[in-house]
Amino acid sequence: MSDEKPVTPAKPEQPQPQTPTPMPKPRTPNLALRRLRAGFKPSRGQAIVAVVLALVACVAVVQVRVNRADDGYQNARREDLIAILDGLGQNTRRLESEIADLEERKNSLSSSADKAQTAREQAEAQVRTLGILAGTLPAQGPGVRITLNDPQGKMTSSNLLDAIEELRDAGAEAIQINGQVRVVASTDFVDDAPGIGIDGQKVNSPYVIEAIGESHNLAEAANFPGGLVSEVTGPQVGGTAEVNELENVAITALHAPEEHRYARPAPSPTK
């Protein structure tokens, strides 16, 4: 027999126990944060109030802009405001008259048995109207005659041009000066002392301006404070001015139209 001792097998090492994971502490609700979030969440009533305030702000902005736009009229004199209102009223009446005239033409063309003849007559009437506006046809009607005396020769072309613009603003439909020059859209005024050059013609004092239109409005435009009469009779010119309302003014001076070098009629958009 052998003296060797039996080998005892080694015992496996026992696993060491792991440190237990601590349980998470329960989170306590943050009441302050909840209240803050609830405050930022608008209710239905708060939303309605916000919309109303936004609308009020928009109205306030618009009102401020309107007030700023009206500042120019707030500083105007009473006479200026009256003249502006008269001009607006006259423009309104003229536009209403044009609308009524166009509607009458339309109805006439629609109901007429001989539409070609009716259209021809209306075209001829339109040609006459355009001839008066262009200064190629004589005209007559109610209006004013304004006589301006300039004994010192201080009137300039700008004074006369201001007078024409005031009359046009008051509704003048036809104007002539000294019975020899027809004033149209292309009429030019230049200084030609002593006197004024109008469309190449020399015109001297006294300057007689005849205009056809609503006589009262034309006279008011001439006598308006700071207007034509004030300029001529003031110290800058030192002249005299006489304005007469007439039941009939005859304008016989004609304008000779020049042929256009560059402008040509544009094709009709309907063709």
Side-chain angles (χ1 to χ4, degrees):
M1 293 185 61
S2 172
D3 293 336
E4 295 179 1
K5 293 181 180 180
V7 179
T8 303
K11 294 182 180 181
E13 294 181 359
Q14 295 295 329
Q16 296 296 326
Q18 297 180 356
T19 304
T21 304
M23 295 297 293
K25 296 181 179 180
R27 299 177 61 183
T28 58
N30 193 332
L31 298 180
L33 182 60
R34 288 186 179 181
R35 291 175 180 175
L36 184 62
R37 290 179 179 176
F40 280 106
K41 184 178 180 181
S43 63
R44 183 177 180 183
Q46 291 174 333
I48 294 175
V49 171
V51 172
V52 172
L53 290 176
L55 292 176
V56 171
C58 292
V59 172
V61 171
V62 172
Q63 185 64 38
V64 169
R65 292 181 178 177
V66 171
N67 292 338
R68 289 179 178 176
D70 292 340
D71 286 344
Y73 297 106
Q74 290 179 355
N75 298 327
R77 297 180 303 174
R78 181 174 179 272
E79 295 81 1
D80 297 339
L81 294 175
I82 293 175
I84 292 172
L85 290 176
D86 288 342
L88 292 175
Q90 184 176 0
N91 290 336
T92 300
R93 290 190 296 271
R94 182 170 63 252
L95 292 175
E96 290 176 348
S97 176
E98 291 179 2
I99 292 174
D101 183 53
L102 292 174
E103 289 179 348
E104 183 179 355
R105 293 183 185 181
K106 177 183 177 182
N107 296 334
S108 177
L109 287 173
S110 301
S111 60
S112 176
D114 189 355
K115 295 183 179 180
Q117 178 65 23
T118 303
R120 189 180 303 110
E121 293 175 354
Q122 291 185 0
E124 292 175 353
Q126 185 70 10
V127 168
R128 290 192 294 270
T129 300
L130 294 176
I132 292 175
L133 294 176
T136 58
L137 292 177
Q140 63 179 3
V144 295
R145 179 180 293 120
I146 304 172
T147 304
L148 308 175
N149 287 287
D150 180 27
Q152 302 180 39
K154 292 184 177 181
M155 276 195 66
T156 63
S157 58
S158 61
N159 297 128
L160 206 54
L161 180 58
D162 290 342
I164 299 302
E165 290 179 345
E166 290 177 3
L167 292 174
R168 283 175 172 168
D169 291 340
E173 299 175 351
I175 303 174
Q176 72 177 7
I177 300 177
N178 284 19
Q180 62 186 93
V181 181
R182 184 72 168 267
V183 179
V184 295
S186 61
T187 300
D188 61 89
F189 297 81
V190 296
D191 293 330
D192 191 7
I196 297 174
I198 307 176
D199 276 352
Q201 299 189 50
K202 182 71 171 291
V203 178
N204 296 309
S205 175
Y207 304 102
V208 180
I209 304 174
E210 294 173 305
I212 293 177
E214 211 288 317
S215 57
H216 178 71
N217 289 341
L218 297 179
E220 288 294 322
N223 290 312
F224 180 74
L228 171 61
V229 173
S230 298
E231 284 188 2
V232 174
T233 59
Q236 186 175 0
V237 176
T240 61
E242 181 182 356
V243 181
N244 296 314
E245 299 182 25
L246 303 175
E247 294 182 357
N248 186 67
V249 175
I251 293 183
T252 57
L254 301 179
H255 172 72
E258 297 180 359
E259 183 178 357
H260 296 291
R261 297 177 57 188
Y262 305 104
R264 296 290 182 271
S268 174
T270 58
K271 294 184 180 180

